[in-house]
Amino acid sequence: MDDGLPPLREVIAAHGLAAKKSLGQNFLLDLNLTRRIARAAGPGETFFEVGPGPGGLTRALLAEGAARVVAVERDARCIPALEQIAAAYPGRLEIIEGDALSLDTATLFDGPVRIAANLPYNVGTALLVKWLTVENWPPFWSSLTLMFQREVAERLVAKPDTEHYGRLSVLVQWRAKAKILFDVSRSAFVPPPKITSSVVRIEPLNEPVADARLADLERVTAAAFGQRRKMLRQSLKVLSPDAEKLILAAGLDPTARAETLSVADFAALARVFFN
Ligand code: SAM
């Protein structure tokens, strides 16, 4: 990648960016790998990157032709390194110093935006839920390309009757389609995390797969998966004393367990329990 910028190892040394565990910092230094992620995040004009760190993915997005990248980073130490990238790509990179979790993302963009991020997994999951639960649908983003721990990635794509199927699977698959693109080995990161990561791409569906109010769906899945080994007639009692009758009204078996239900089944429960 001939962007005239120094190798990332030199950037990290020059700016004293020793990885901070508290910020979940595991940096990607291989620009071929960050380019692969950038290509997976495209094609697009405008990108929103969360947690650019020393800028490996940021540089790749710009080198791959992004017209505009908005990047939000919490660690003030990274800002001067990111400003060097902005200078190498005049007018194309905007840097925001702050916490992505409290940023009102939807109002930053007036057209479709592709989101790309390599984040600590707790922040990544919280942001994913934030982006999936926005009021307007289709949402302000046209795709999410995110790095997750392999196990979290498996939860996003899990089907009923499998080990990883749960609340997050239902929430994602109700309004979007998720795909695991490729794994990234621990050794690609500095410092290496404990487990393998996966790059996931999520695209919004035009409409949810089955009608329901989001808040109702979340209440039903929280109750059902909160006690995932119990039969529905037991686990859903917290929502209504008439749980058994309501489950039958939704056309489902009260002795079934949460993990056997499809996304459409959960939507049916959300409708009968709260309408
Ligand atoms: N994108 C870089 C890369 O791939 O090398 C850095 C990845 S590192 C796993 C995660 C980055 O997210 C760090 O730079 C960290 O400071 C930043 N970060 C963590 N929590 C954040 C938050 N709430 N808002 C914005 N950035 C955050």
Side-chain angles (χ1 to χ4, degrees):
M1 182 153 62
D2 194 16
D3 51 15
L5 290 161
L8 284 160
R9 265 183 211 287
E10 283 177 25
V11 173
I12 286 172
H15 296 274
L17 303 179
K20 275 193 193 167
K21 220 177 169 182
S22 61
L23 286 171
Q25 292 181 336
N26 302 95
F27 300 132
L28 292 173
L29 305 191
D30 176 353
L31 292 168
N32 288 318
L33 175 59
T34 58
R35 272 188 100 137
R36 188 172 177 210
I37 300 170
R39 280 194 297 273
E45 291 275 299
T46 307
F47 289 82
F48 179 48
E49 189 194 353
V50 184
L57 181 56
T58 323
R59 284 165 65 167
L61 289 166
L62 290 161
E64 287 292 327
R68 178 183 176 217
V69 178
V70 178
V72 56
E73 172 56 59
R74 211 176 145 178
D75 185 353
R77 299 177 310 161
C78 297
I79 304 298
L82 294 167
E83 277 166 355
Q84 280 188 342
I85 304 173
Y89 291 94
R92 290 167 60 190
L93 174 61
E94 283 164 49
I95 306 152
I96 301 173
E97 184 184 336
D99 181 348
L101 288 167
S102 52
L103 198 69
D104 185 4
T105 329
T107 57
L108 281 178
F109 305 97
D110 44 21
V113 58
R114 297 203 183 271
I115 299 183
N118 167 23
L119 284 167
Y121 104 98
N122 56 337
V123 178
T125 312
L127 280 171
L128 172 63
V129 170
K130 178 172 156 167
W131 292 325
L132 284 169
T133 54
V134 291
E135 214 161 288
N136 294 331
W137 204 267
F140 68 95
W141 47 272
S142 55
S143 66
L144 308 173
T145 305
L146 308 173
M147 181 86 75
F148 282 110
Q149 296 181 348
R150 173 84 207 176
E151 187 265 331
V152 177
E154 279 169 357
R155 281 163 54 198
L156 304 179
V157 302
K159 295 295 170 202
D161 286 315
T162 63
E163 180 192 351
H164 296 287
Y165 188 60
R167 281 175 75 179
L168 198 57
S169 326
V170 176
L171 176 63
V172 173
Q173 294 167 37
W174 178 59
R175 290 181 137 182
K177 61 176 201 277
K179 195 172 171 210
I180 297 179
L181 298 183
F182 51 88
D183 289 342
V184 180
S185 84
R186 304 168 52 235
S187 60
F189 298 88
V190 175
K194 288 205 180 71
I195 36 187
T196 303
S197 301
S198 304
V199 174
V200 180
R201 177 156 166 137
I202 297 169
E203 288 175 13
L205 299 170
N206 282 330
E207 287 184 26
V209 294
D211 195 34
R213 278 196 304 246
L214 171 65
D216 299 343
L217 186 70
E218 288 188 300
R219 284 176 72 185
V220 166
T221 54
F225 285 109
Q227 296 180 287
R228 64 185 286 146
R229 300 275 159 241
K230 295 234 167 96
M231 296 177 186
L232 291 175
R233 67 178 176 209
Q234 185 64 33
S235 58
L236 298 187
K237 244 188 207 157
V238 291
L239 301 177
S240 164
D242 295 327
E244 178 142 11
K245 255 195 258 163
L246 292 169
I247 296 163
L248 286 167
L252 297 169
D253 175 0
T255 67
R257 290 177 173 77
E259 63 205 27
T260 67
L261 267 53
S262 69
V263 174
D265 292 339
F266 281 107
L269 287 173
R271 292 194 303 271
V272 297
F273 269 75
F274 300 108
N275 275 355

